[in-house]
Amino acid sequence: MDKFKILVVDDETDFLETILARLKKRKLDATGVTNGEAAVDLLKNQLFDVVLLDVKMPGGMDGIEALREIKRIQPLVEVVLLTGHASIETSIEGMKQGAFDYLLKPMKLEELMSKMAEAFEKKSKHDKKIREAVIKDLTQQHGSTPSGE
Amino acid sequence: MKTSLYTSLQRKIIGITLVVSFAPLIILAVTMYYQFAKTCKNKTEEQIEYRALAQAESVDLFLKERIAILSAMADTHTFNEMIDEENLSNIFNVMNSRAGAFVDLGVIDSAGMQRVYVGPYNLKGLNYYDQPWFADVMSKGVFLSDVYMGFRKLPHFIIAVRRNENNKSWILRATIDPNILEGIVRQAQIGSTGDAYLLSKEGIFQTNPRFKGLILSQSNLNTSLFGRRVTVVELENNEGRKLLYAGSWLKNSKWLLIINQEPAEMMQSLFAVRNVEITIIVFGFLAIIMTTIFTTHLAVSQLQQSDATMQELNAQLVQSDKLAAIGKMAAGVAHEINNPLNVILQKTGWMEDLLEEEDIKKSENLEEFQTSVQKIEEHVERARKVVHNMLGFARKMEPHLENVDINDTINQTITILENYARTNNIEIQADLSGKLPIIASDQAQLQQVFLNLLTNAIDAIGKEGLVEIKSRRLDSRICISIKDDGPGIPAEKQKNVFDPFFTTKETGKGTGLGLSVSYNIIEKMGGKIRLKSQVGKGTIFTVEVPIVAPERK
Ligand SMILES: Nc1ncnc2c1ncn2[C@@H]1O[C@H](COP(=O)(O)OP(=O)(O)OP(=O)(O)O)[C@@H](O)[C@H]1O
Ligand SMILES: [Mg+2]
Ligand SMILES: [Mg+2]
């Protein structure tokens, strides 16, 4: 698995701390925040590959609102929703807003990792396509092969 | 209690129907009977009256004839011709041969002396001057006596006519045998109880009646009751029986002809009609009673049936209400439970991670740690399952429709459980109909139902036994039955097994949600789950799913 950058957003600090520790132990680059606003702020300054986003957070922004903001700031980031209650309505709403998938709490780390891997793979492909498209664009504009930097 | 309600309802309906239908029938029968009795009585009276009149006329005619002959003889012969004994004897013979009934004949002169006599007695020379009738005939010209004994000690009566000849009067007198009169009168008697006789004004029998009484004895009939020429009265006789009496006065107004009759005898036809009426009514009653009982029974049992169906529907409603309530509650708490569970799971995961580290691996309690961590994970999984199953009720669960082959689904389910069954020495036999159509349904949900039912059957049997699963098509439904030869479910528990959290399994082994979830799933598909069980014999669960044709693509 390529090394990728993960952001975990959950109001449950006990969970947040533990999951970060476990991911780091597996040599993954994971960061955590406890609310939607903090996540949005962070994403404005840093690029991430996958965001794990709790759907239900008290006060301020809830998961779906945060998702909408995140997708606006970084359209290419893949979001996996975490929910304690798999209400079809919320999940469908999440998918419409561009989430990659959702996971039911409690979930095993293995489930989480494979889901993130799928999300990352999708993002990588997407990234690659976009890069190719951009390169093609540039080639056509300049009528020559792109010059390396 | 409920059945007594139906019986009392049935009784009420029958009672009301019978009263309403019987009352007019009885009223009709009674009025018809009285109407008929009245006309019958009128007719009887008319008949007896007519007879009395006719018979009186015959008696009148008889007497008139005798008097006419006597008068004719007197008028056509002189006194001197008459007193010749031979002549008179001739005349007597002529009279008897022409008319009859004359017993004797005599000629009486104006001094009352019987000058000549023809007849069975020797009455020549008797003087009648002091007899009351002598004066009568001398003044009126014609005389008819009542019946009396007279000299001869035999009942008889006489007629006499006066002849005036050269300022001198003489009398021709004849005796008449009342037996002949009796013969005429008796012609009017009717049937076996009727009587006919003559009475004088004073009520003395002038002829022998058929029953009670003798000629010349006093009858206890009051002749003044008979005022007009013909009168019909109803009287009680000595024995207290009612008799109809018709009395007709003769023209001479001396004698009364009586005909009596027991009305009952004349009313035979009435009784015949009455009997027919009674028979018709009895049969009518029986028919009405039977029809009423039959129809009410039909109606009440139909009512009972629909009540039972309603109750069943109600029970189903209560059941699905219960499930919906559970679902709502589950949705509320799911989040609150799943988050702590999630923390617990991650913490144990972290502990597992740490147990991999070298320095801890050296700890002598490493194994204890590892099993504890595993146990925690197991129980988190158990709790997760409960919450997850409960959420099964919360979802609107629009079944996701796809083309489902029920038999395939059953076979897949059997494959999943085969190992589990085999280790417990339990055989699963499938008897699947080859004629099932493909239906539009939710395969995953159906599989969950079959899995629940089969697991229950295997669990119920425990060790060694047989589970039979059958699929059949029934009209517009597919019927799947799962039968086991386990211990069965006692009747008092049968209504509880579909309740959420009802389980008889050891703690940790069963959530008690299997059947209620299955119930919920099948109900949402528009189907039904039923159970039949006998303690000691086994249990059959039957699932009915409506056949919904898949959409053509
Ligand atoms: N085939 C059967 N024979 C006898 N008893 C049965 C049978 N099926 C169900 N039951 C009874 O009904 C109870 C409820 O069944 P249900 O499937 O709802 O829950 P469970 O099997 O106890 O738990 P779970 O299905 O969650 O593991 C069972 O505990 C058992 O007592
Ligand atoms: Mg939360
Ligand atoms: Mg069960």
Side-chain angles (χ1 to χ4, degrees):
Chain A
M1 192 190 295
D2 283 332
K3 197 151 187 257
F4 53 94
K5 278 191 74 169
I6 303 163
L7 175 62
V8 186
V9 190
D10 200 312
D11 58 312
E12 193 79 54
T13 44
D14 280 340
F15 167 71
L16 192 61
E17 278 169 12
T18 321
I19 201 79
L20 290 178
R22 296 189 77 191
L23 291 174
K24 278 177 185 150
K25 199 164 181 3
R26 285 164 178 75
K27 311 274 186 273
L28 288 168
D29 180 359
T31 321
V33 288
T34 60
N35 57 64
E37 287 86 350
V40 171
D41 281 347
L42 196 58
L43 279 160
K44 279 181 183 156
N45 303 319
Q46 278 185 49
L47 282 175
F48 284 92
D49 296 303
V50 178
V51 177
L52 295 179
L53 180 60
D54 185 23
V55 173
K56 199 169 173 187
M57 290 178 292
M61 239 181 221
D62 76 4
I64 299 294
E65 282 165 3
L67 170 65
R68 208 174 295 134
E69 273 303 293
I70 290 169
K71 277 289 180 182
R72 202 173 56 78
I73 301 165
Q74 290 193 27
L76 292 181
V77 76
E78 290 299 346
V79 179
V80 175
L81 296 172
L82 303 180
T83 170
H85 174 190
S87 83
I88 293 271
E89 293 80 9
T90 329
S91 321
I92 289 176
E93 182 58 25
M95 300 309 200
K96 271 193 202 152
Q97 299 295 334
F100 173 71
D101 205 346
Y102 64 94
L103 278 175
L104 286 180
K105 287 182 183 178
M107 70 293 211
K108 295 232 162 94
L109 187 67
E110 292 73 42
E111 287 176 67
L112 191 66
M113 303 243 299
S114 69
K115 193 57 77 186
M116 286 193 304
E118 282 172 38
F120 179 66
E121 199 178 329
K122 183 180 168 202
K123 181 173 185 272
S124 315
K125 274 190 191 151
H126 204 172
D127 280 350
K128 208 171 144 201
K129 251 192 215 149
I130 289 176
R131 194 172 313 131
E132 276 166 7
V134 171
I135 288 168
K136 213 170 169 190
D137 250 13
L138 288 175
T139 323
Q140 278 170 359
Q141 268 182 20
H142 299 285
S144 60
T145 50
S147 54
E149 299 274 313
Chain B
M1 205 208 100
K2 200 81 207 235
T3 44
S4 78
L5 213 82
Y6 290 118
T7 24
S8 87
L9 178 66
Q10 190 166 358
R11 274 201 213 117
K12 266 185 218 159
I13 297 176
I14 291 177
I16 290 169
T17 321
L18 290 189
V19 168
V20 168
S21 47
F22 281 3
L25 200 60
I26 291 173
I27 291 171
L28 189 69
V30 170
T31 31
M32 258 170 69
Y33 178 75
Y34 278 108
Q35 211 62 40
F36 192 76
K38 211 167 137 192
T39 46
C40 221
K41 199 173 162 208
N42 285 345
K43 241 181 137 185
T44 313
E45 284 180 10
E46 246 167 51
Q47 236 173 38
I48 196 172
E49 181 181 294
Y50 173 75
R51 253 166 193 274
L53 199 60
Q55 219 53 36
E57 262 164 18
S58 344
V59 174
D60 269 334
L61 192 64
F62 171 79
L63 294 172
K64 201 172 152 193
E65 261 174 28
R66 304 311 111 161
I67 291 168
I69 286 176
L70 206 62
S71 304
M73 289 306 162
D75 284 347
T76 53
H77 296 81
T78 63
F79 182 68
N80 289 333
E81 280 167 344
M82 279 294 185
I83 54 174
D84 179 286
E85 204 146 320
E86 209 170 313
N87 254 346
L88 193 67
S89 180
N90 280 339
I91 290 170
F92 179 63
N93 288 340
V94 168
M95 279 165 66
N96 262 340
S97 68
R98 293 287 164 175
F102 295 102
V103 178
D104 63 8
L105 191 62
V107 178
I108 298 163
D109 67 15
S110 52
M113 170 72 72
Q114 179 146 278
R115 297 285 290 274
V116 205
Y117 171 81
V118 191
Y121 306 99
N122 184 12
L123 301 177
K124 189 175 170 185
L126 267 181
N127 196 319
Y128 289 100
Y129 193 83
D130 292 331
Q131 296 280 332
W133 60 265
F134 181 73
D136 227 15
V137 72
M138 287 305 268
S139 63
K140 285 189 190 147
V142 183
F143 172 74
L144 173 73
S145 79
D146 280 347
V147 175
Y148 66 107
M149 282 296 186
F151 302 116
R152 349 168 168 204
K153 306 298 173 216
L154 258 181
H156 67 284
F157 69 95
I158 59 168
I159 51 180
V161 293
R162 185 196 66 198
R163 168 82 196 273
N164 287 330
E165 197 182 334
N166 308 328
N167 287 334
K168 269 191 118 177
S169 300
W170 54 276
I171 293 167
L172 186 63
R173 182 201 60 84
T175 304
I176 307 233
D177 182 356
N179 281 332
I180 304 219
L181 207 55
E182 194 173 305
I184 298 170
V185 171
R186 283 281 187 88
Q187 281 169 14
Q189 77 191 23
I190 308 163
S192 52
T193 59
D195 203 347
Y197 46 82
L198 283 175
L199 286 181
S200 72
K201 240 186 200 136
E202 292 76 31
I204 309 282
F205 283 114
Q206 302 296 299
T207 59
N208 278 309
R210 187 179 183 188
F211 307 107
K212 284 256 158 124
L214 270 178
I215 190 162
L216 287 180
S217 65
Q218 178 73 41
S219 136
N220 46 16
L221 208 59
N222 179 4
T223 55
S224 63
L225 284 176
F226 300 89
R228 282 171 288 135
R229 180 142 159 68
V230 207
T231 316
V232 177
V233 287
E234 196 177 51
L235 295 172
E236 271 184 15
N237 69 358
N238 321 347
E239 290 141 36
R241 277 200 283 168
K242 278 207 168 157
L243 291 181
L244 263 187
Y245 288 85
S248 175
W249 288 100
L250 299 194
K251 289 240 173 69
N252 62 25
S253 298
K254 268 175 82 99
W255 292 346
L256 181 62
L257 183 122
I258 296 284
I259 297 180
N260 68 36
Q261 170 75 42
E262 261 186 43
E265 192 170 342
M266 300 199 70
M267 304 242 245
Q268 285 312 339
S269 57
L270 174 68
F271 297 140
V273 166
R274 190 187 57 189
N275 290 344
V276 169
E277 216 181 47
I278 288 173
T279 325
I280 291 175
I281 286 173
V282 167
F283 278 109
F285 276 15
L286 287 181
I288 291 173
I289 290 172
M290 264 152 44
T291 334
T292 313
I293 289 177
F294 177 71
T295 44
T296 29
H297 180 80
L298 208 71
V300 169
S301 65
Q302 230 149 48
L303 186 72
Q304 211 164 354
Q305 214 174 335
S306 69
D307 275 2
T309 327
M310 195 110 107
Q311 238 164 12
E312 200 179 310
L313 283 180
N314 261 345
Q316 275 175 19
L317 215 64
V318 168
Q319 185 72 12
S320 49
D321 266 4
K322 233 189 279 181
L323 300 184
I326 291 249
K328 239 181 229 159
M329 197 195 73
V333 299
H335 179 80
E336 302 313 321
I337 291 174
N338 279 337
N339 271 308
L341 283 181
N342 195 29
V343 175
I344 295 169
L345 195 65
Q346 296 316 320
K347 285 290 180 197
T348 40
W350 180 233
M351 277 154 78
E352 269 178 330
D353 289 351
L354 295 182
L355 286 176
E356 297 292 312
E357 286 185 0
E358 286 306 315
D359 45 338
I360 298 178
K361 264 188 170 167
K362 280 177 214 142
S363 158
E364 49 184 304
N365 285 328
L366 176 70
E367 232 172 272
E368 283 293 311
F369 280 125
Q370 276 172 336
T371 46
S372 297
V373 164
Q374 258 167 26
K375 277 277 171 239
I376 295 174
E377 277 181 350
E378 249 172 56
H379 287 269
V380 167
E381 173 60 16
R382 192 178 134 199
R384 189 193 68 83
K385 220 164 115 190
V386 173
V387 176
H388 179 77
N389 280 346
M390 276 166 59
L391 282 173
F393 304 119
R395 280 189 223 141
K396 291 213 182 83
M397 285 216 302
E398 280 299 312
H400 147 85
L401 292 186
E402 58 204 325
N403 292 355
V404 178
D405 180 331
I406 296 264
N407 287 342
D408 274 359
T409 314
I410 293 175
N411 282 327
Q412 282 170 24
T413 317
I414 294 174
T415 316
I416 296 172
L417 287 170
E418 235 163 22
N419 254 329
Y420 179 45
R422 203 180 301 122
T423 50
N424 289 311
N425 244 335
I426 292 167
E427 191 187 345
I428 303 179
Q429 267 179 15
D431 168 11
L432 306 180
S433 161
K435 289 175 192 151
L436 301 189
I438 301 288
I439 60 169
S441 194
D442 185 320
Q443 166 140 18
Q445 288 188 358
L446 278 176
Q447 179 148 9
Q448 191 182 350
V449 171
F450 299 150
L451 200 68
N452 284 339
L453 294 177
L454 280 171
T455 320
N456 281 351
I458 293 169
D459 288 348
I461 292 171
K463 287 255 176 305
E464 278 206 35
L466 177 67
V467 178
E468 291 171 273
I469 180 162
K470 236 190 235 183
S471 64
R472 290 285 180 274
R473 182 182 179 155
L474 276 183
D475 301 329
S476 56
R477 289 156 297 151
I478 292 176
C479 218
I480 302 102
S481 65
I482 290 133
K483 179 178 164 191
D484 67 66
D485 55 2
I489 305 171
E492 71 272 13
K493 282 193 183 153
Q494 287 183 15
K495 57 180 183 307
N496 290 331
V497 295
F498 293 107
D499 286 351
F501 302 113
F502 176 87
T503 179
T504 57
K505 292 177 185 165
E506 278 171 54
T507 323
K509 286 270 169 65
T511 64
L513 288 170
L515 282 179
S516 51
V517 168
S518 306
Y519 188 97
N520 209 30
I521 290 174
I522 296 299
E523 197 193 43
K524 289 213 165 110
M525 288 179 180
K528 270 180 197 156
I529 297 192
R530 287 202 206 88
L531 88 90
K532 232 194 223 171
S533 183
Q534 211 179 343
V535 174
K537 289 242 168 107
T539 308
I540 305 182
F541 277 88
T542 312
V543 179
E544 271 181 28
V545 205
I547 294 179
V548 181
E551 253 176 59
R552 294 236 184 116
K553 299 219 171 111

